[in-house]
Amino acid sequence: METLYAYVGCYTTPQRNGQGNGINVYRVDRRSGAFSHVQCLEGLENPSFLAVDSAGRHLYSVHGDRSEATAFTIDVRTGRLHLLNRQPTGGFNPIHLAFDRTGRALVVSNYGSDSIAVLPILKNGALGPYPTLTAVTGALGPHRIEQKNIRPHHNPLDREGRHFFLPCKGGDSIISYRVNRKKGVLVEAARVAARPGAGPRHIAFHPRRPLAYVVNELDSTITTYRKDGAKLVPLQLVPSTPPDFTGYSTGAEIAVDRAGRNVYVSNRGHNSIGVFAVDVATGALAPKQWVPTHGTVPRFFTLDPDGRFLYVANQGSHTIFAYRIGVDGKLSLTSVKVKVGSPACIVFNKGGPS
């Protein structure tokens, strides 16, 4: 069985109440889900979102409240990281990054300054300078604090490898883009409006069907969309928190399991992971379970590559908990608990044989 490594990004600065210390590397027991610490790469400010290339030899990071992206080499035998280079992203507070279909470019969203950049990946894995920026424009939503600018929050590539989809929290919209490879920039292909004040944050695609699911941060809802190429057509809107919850909460992360049978979402405030069943005929969601995250501000969660465990990063209480995923998609808490400062992102990578 191949060795599995986990890379955990975090917040480090006082402005984010950060108590992290860089990127932490762990070896993962694929049977129990336990983490064993391998390395802490210090000297990094807010490495808040990470991505590993398809070859498993390079890791990339954006840095919250800063203006750069960083490339690292991965030692496939040990999982350890080594700094390769840094490049400006052309804007403030880069918040997400994703590879294009070829794996030779990295798309980055600048949340604070409403732009997206395409950074070329060089043959040695280093990042090259972006040729130009694409401005993200549109009308703003009604929230006076959280919708002061467009605030692009996520830019994953769809499973067909043709379009990047950009939920814009401040603009109550989701915009799709295609890459103009000659110019090295993104060009808008389509957009769909969300409910005013919803604050679309992250999007997840169904693995087999033309469906997409968006967690709306500000009103704690999930929208189901039918996907037609670059276009999204809304089908359903459901709350991400239980009907008897009356407190304040915001949606954060969303994911679909490998079989396309369940959608998972994290709620900050309710401090839970919601599990929703996917209707096989329509793609619509029905609530199945809410489990407590046993910590505050569950900004991020992810499923391991084997689909056995779901890991929750509690940014506010500096912990990661592992949940076992049942055959019905429901979650059960394990004994796995990792203490790490202000975790914001977890990505996995397979190394050599164990």
Side-chain angles (χ1 to χ4, degrees):
M1 183 180 290
E2 293 171 305
T3 304
L4 185 65
Y5 294 99
Y7 298 85
V8 178
C10 65
Y11 283 103
T12 65
T13 60
Q15 294 82 359
R16 290 290 187 128
N17 297 315
Q19 297 184 24
N21 54 1
I23 298 177
N24 281 276
V25 184
Y26 300 88
R27 183 170 177 151
V28 183
D29 186 314
R30 297 175 73 168
R31 294 180 177 86
S32 70
F35 280 19
S36 300
H37 195 259
V38 172
Q39 177 194 20
C40 177
L41 188 64
E42 298 182 338
L44 305 169
E45 290 188 310
N46 297 336
S48 51
F49 220 98
L50 313 175
V52 176
D53 66 7
S54 60
R57 295 185 177 276
H58 296 95
L59 180 138
Y60 300 88
S61 172
V62 289
H63 301 268
D65 294 341
R66 297 299 181 260
S67 300
E68 64 182 13
T70 306
F72 306 87
T73 58
I74 299 173
D75 185 320
V76 295
R77 295 178 299 104
T78 66
R80 294 176 68 88
L81 298 175
H82 302 276
L83 179 66
L84 187 54
N85 81 323
R86 295 185 174 94
Q87 285 288 353
T89 64
F92 178 68
N93 195 9
I95 201 164
H96 190 247
L97 70 173
F99 300 100
D100 74 344
R101 180 174 55 187
T102 69
R104 296 195 296 268
L106 197 68
V107 174
V108 176
S109 299
N110 292 308
Y111 176 88
S113 52
D114 297 348
S115 64
I116 41 181
V118 182
L119 280 67
I121 297 175
L122 308 181
K123 288 184 178 180
N124 68 346
L127 292 170
Y130 64 88
T132 187
L133 290 175
T134 299
V136 183
T137 61
L140 299 182
H143 199 294
R144 293 184 179 181
I145 297 174
E146 294 294 339
Q147 295 183 312
K148 292 180 178 180
N149 60 296
I150 296 296
R151 300 191 174 184
H153 209 294
H154 197 215
N155 57 257
L157 183 67
D158 65 11
R159 61 186 178 89
E160 296 84 10
R162 296 176 181 172
H163 296 95
F164 291 89
F165 282 77
L166 191 72
C168 296
K169 172 182 161 184
D172 287 328
S173 61
I174 302 146
I175 309 172
S176 61
Y177 292 88
R178 60 177 177 82
V179 178
N180 181 323
R181 300 197 180 279
K182 290 183 179 180
K183 296 183 178 180
V185 297
L186 292 175
V187 179
E188 182 174 334
R191 69 171 63 199
V192 62
R195 185 165 68 176
R201 177 182 172 93
H202 281 196
I203 184 170
F205 303 104
H206 194 279
R208 295 182 178 87
R209 301 179 58 194
L211 297 166
Y213 300 93
V214 172
V215 59
N216 299 303
E217 176 178 332
L218 300 181
D219 67 359
S220 292
T221 60
I222 308 168
T223 307
T224 301
Y225 292 93
R226 177 173 57 83
K227 183 176 176 296
D228 182 9
K231 298 179 180 180
L232 297 177
V233 179
L235 300 177
Q236 180 200 32
L237 184 75
V238 297
S240 66
T241 54
D244 59 352
F245 176 72
T246 58
Y248 179 72
S249 188
T250 58
E253 187 58 88
I254 191 165
V256 187
D257 66 15
R258 292 188 301 176
R261 296 173 183 166
N262 298 279
V263 168
Y264 301 89
V265 65
S266 65
N267 299 295
R268 299 173 296 182
H270 188 245
N271 293 328
S272 67
I273 300 294
V275 185
F276 293 79
V278 177
D279 187 286
V280 295
T282 66
L285 301 182
K288 182 182 288 188
Q289 181 192 33
W290 281 275
V291 296
T293 58
H294 298 279
T296 60
V297 195
R299 179 183 181 89
F300 183 85
F301 69 85
T302 189
L303 282 65
D304 77 307
D306 299 319
R308 296 177 180 174
F309 298 97
L310 183 148
Y311 293 87
V312 180
N314 291 309
Q315 179 189 343
S317 52
H318 318 295
T319 54
I320 296 171
F321 283 91
Y323 295 76
R324 190 173 294 275
I325 302 173
V327 293
D328 59 357
K330 289 186 176 181
L331 303 176
S332 57
L333 184 66
T334 71
S335 61
V336 176
K337 177 183 178 180
V338 181
K339 294 183 179 180
V340 59
S342 308
C345 182
I346 307 166
V347 295
F348 295 100
N349 187 45
K350 293 178 181 179
S354 59

